[in-house]
Amino acid sequence: VSSVITESIFNDLLKHRNDAGCKAKGFYSYDAFIAAADAFPGFGTTGDLTSQKRELAAFFGQTSHETTGGWPTAPDGPYAWGYCFKEEQGNPPGEYCQASSQWPCASGKRYYGRGPVQISWNYNYGPAGKAVGFDGINNPDIVANDATVSFKTAVWFWMTEQSPKPSCHNVMAGGWGPSGSDTAAGRAAGYGVVTNIINGGLECGKGSDSRQEDRIGFYKRYCDILGVSYGSNLDCNSQKPFGFAAQSQPRLIKTVV
């Protein structure tokens, strides 16, 4: 990954992450990102160089939307302000706690959005911690206090399939193709399916959506920096969300804005 995302490129992608107005100032480091990337074989290293660059642009595009501090007239444009936040902004509703025998919520702990992908809910902190190597139930705060752990939760989510959804990695690395039911639902390989995986229940199948456009804007900027074409099917305007019954369940992540 470091051969594609050098430290100089990392700093260009996330140009304003350390500005004074960003609450995550000084948190998201290049070394932490590389350590997390190296912990997941295949991440950003699968397929030809075009596929690798598109996957990494997609990863940063989606996570930058989740952590954006940009606004329409921001210096260098709204898509130069990813990774401004490491914790969900505003007043997170409730405790993000769902009754679970496997991942029971710990007293006094809150499972709101943290890190690049803004992981939330106890049933996500638990397995993320188990995969990454921390106690996600009793120490969710580490995701906002340890940059390497924070990046690892984001890459873990990116690499992990959650049926009926494919993993974001498989979509961008070319390992996923639409089934007959996917085709009937308007889903085709491309960046738009990644948005569908992450937040399809709220953003997909409803025509143009400002949140979708923000995700696409980041992705395009990052592809331009990496010198790679965007590919096809960037939006999910006409895609039905994955697993209609699953849409009644709490979503994986909470968006910062």
Side-chain angles (χ1 to χ4, degrees):
V1 171
S2 61
S3 66
V4 176
I5 307 294
T6 64
E7 187 166 8
S8 176
I9 288 176
F10 181 84
N11 290 333
D12 196 13
L13 296 175
L14 310 179
K15 190 169 185 178
H16 290 284
R17 75 185 189 283
N18 290 327
D19 277 34
C22 289
K23 292 187 178 181
K25 178 183 178 181
F27 181 69
Y28 294 114
S29 70
Y30 177 70
D31 288 346
F33 167 67
I34 293 300
D38 288 347
F40 291 86
F43 172 69
T45 62
T46 302
D48 60 17
L49 186 58
T50 294
S51 294
Q52 294 170 15
K53 287 182 174 182
R54 280 185 186 156
E55 179 179 5
L56 291 165
F59 172 82
F60 280 111
Q62 294 288 346
T63 52
S64 290
H65 168 75
E66 299 295 335
T67 57
T68 183
W71 65 99
T73 58
D76 300 307
Y79 308 124
W81 290 78
Y83 284 62
C84 240
F85 297 98
K86 60 179 181 175
E87 296 179 273
E88 184 175 346
Q89 296 303 289
N91 184 25
E95 302 297 318
Y96 290 105
C97 176
Q98 185 178 72
S100 170
S101 58
Q102 185 176 10
W103 308 111
C105 300
S107 177
K109 301 300 180 182
R110 303 183 69 193
Y111 305 98
Y112 58 80
R114 297 177 179 89
V117 79
Q118 293 287 283
I119 188 172
S120 60
W121 294 93
N122 55 306
Y123 57 79
N124 290 309
Y125 272 93
K130 182 178 180 180
V132 169
F134 70 96
D135 188 342
I137 295 299
N138 291 296
N139 189 19
D141 293 316
I142 194 173
V143 180
N145 296 327
D146 184 310
T148 300
V149 169
S150 197
F151 270 116
K152 282 183 176 180
T153 63
V155 181
W156 166 82
F157 165 71
W158 188 263
M159 300 295 289
T160 302
E161 177 180 332
Q162 294 190 334
S163 183
K165 304 175 183 181
S167 70
C168 299
H169 165 72
N170 276 344
V171 171
M172 293 308 301
W176 176 84
S179 65
S181 59
D182 287 318
T183 300
R187 296 188 290 265
Y191 186 70
V193 171
V194 177
T195 298
N196 199 331
I197 291 168
I198 293 174
N199 202 23
L202 295 180
E203 297 180 28
C204 297
K206 304 173 182 178
S208 182
D209 182 281
S210 61
R211 294 163 294 186
Q212 254 204 85
E213 292 304 315
D214 195 63
R215 297 177 192 274
I216 293 169
F218 275 113
Y219 173 66
K220 286 183 173 181
R221 177 174 179 268
Y222 296 158
C223 283
D224 290 345
I225 290 173
L226 293 175
V228 67
S229 60
Y230 309 143
S232 56
N233 303 313
L234 300 189
D235 65 65
C236 60
N237 293 351
S238 301
Q239 296 181 19
K240 293 181 180 178
F242 284 97
F244 300 108
Q247 296 308 314
S248 63
Q249 298 299 316
R251 53 189 293 248
L252 176 67
I253 57 176
K254 285 293 293 181
T255 308
V256 168
V257 293

